[in-house]
Amino acid sequence: MKLQVKKLKPGAKLPTYATAQSAGADLYVCLEEPVTLQPGETKFLPTGLAVAVPQGYAGLVFARSGMACKRGLAPANKVGVIDSDYRGEVNVVLHNHGPEPQTVLNGDRVAQLVLVPVLTPEPELVEELEETGRGAGGFGSTGRN
């Protein structure tokens, strides 16, 4: 399978997989100048790329564990979704969860892109749902003895 990627800006870097078994491809920012996020601040950061996610798939944009855990920077919406019919620039909306300002430099790896199959079943209104052992048990209900 191939992921078609279009450079929208000359300095944009293609997504890369750190290892042969990496689930996500690292996304790099394409900045004209460094961007500093103050504690609690959220900013849109461009990648300079557009992608053609294959039909039947979605591109999910996740945090990079090192950046999130060590620097407190993670996608503001937790997981970004790139639909297969979207052809605009991929931006990463970073939020600074930490107590210190964090500066992002051009070319920094700020997120990772994972392609996943998508099912789109048609919603069907029913009067009853099939019973299960769990039923309507909510948060933490399966951990009780």
Side-chain angles (χ1 to χ4, degrees), residues 79-102:
V79 178
V81 178
I82 304 171
D83 297 311
S84 64
D85 59 351
Y86 176 68
R87 293 296 184 270
E89 183 172 12
V90 174
N91 287 282
V92 177
V93 187
L94 275 189
H95 181 80
N96 183 355
H97 295 274
E100 302 292 330
Q102 294 291 327

Side-chain angles (χ1 to χ4, degrees), residues 42 44 63 89 108 131:
T42 300
F44 282 75
E89 183 172 12
D108 279 355
E131 292 293 324

Side-chain angles (χ1 to χ4, degrees), residues 117-132:
V118 172
L119 299 174
T120 54
E122 183 179 334
E124 175 187 10
L125 182 62
V126 297
E127 294 295 322
E128 296 292 328
L129 298 176
E130 178 183 330
E131 292 293 324
T132 67

Side-chain angles (χ1 to χ4, degrees), residues 26-132:
D26 290 332
L27 294 174
Y28 301 82
V29 290
C30 185
L31 303 171
E32 293 180 15
E33 58 188 37
V35 172
T36 298
L37 288 92
Q38 298 300 321
E41 188 174 27
T42 300
K43 289 190 178 179
F44 282 75
L45 300 180
T47 65
L49 303 174
V51 297
V53 173
Q55 187 173 353
Y57 290 81
L60 302 182
V61 179
F62 290 100
R64 291 190 68 253
S65 57
M67 182 163 270
C69 296
K70 295 176 183 174
R71 298 183 57 195
L73 296 175
N77 54 346
K78 307 306 178 209
V79 178
V81 178
I82 304 171
D83 297 311
S84 64
D85 59 351
Y86 176 68
R87 293 296 184 270
E89 183 172 12
V90 174
N91 287 282
V92 177
V93 187
L94 275 189
H95 181 80
N96 183 355
H97 295 274
E100 302 292 330
Q102 294 291 327
T103 299
V104 178
L105 305 175
N106 182 49
D108 279 355
R109 296 176 298 161
V110 294
Q112 56 184 323
L113 175 65
V114 178
L115 294 184
V116 296
V118 172
L119 299 174
T120 54
E122 183 179 334
E124 175 187 10
L125 182 62
V126 297
E127 294 295 322
E128 296 292 328
L129 298 176
E130 178 183 330
E131 292 293 324
T132 67

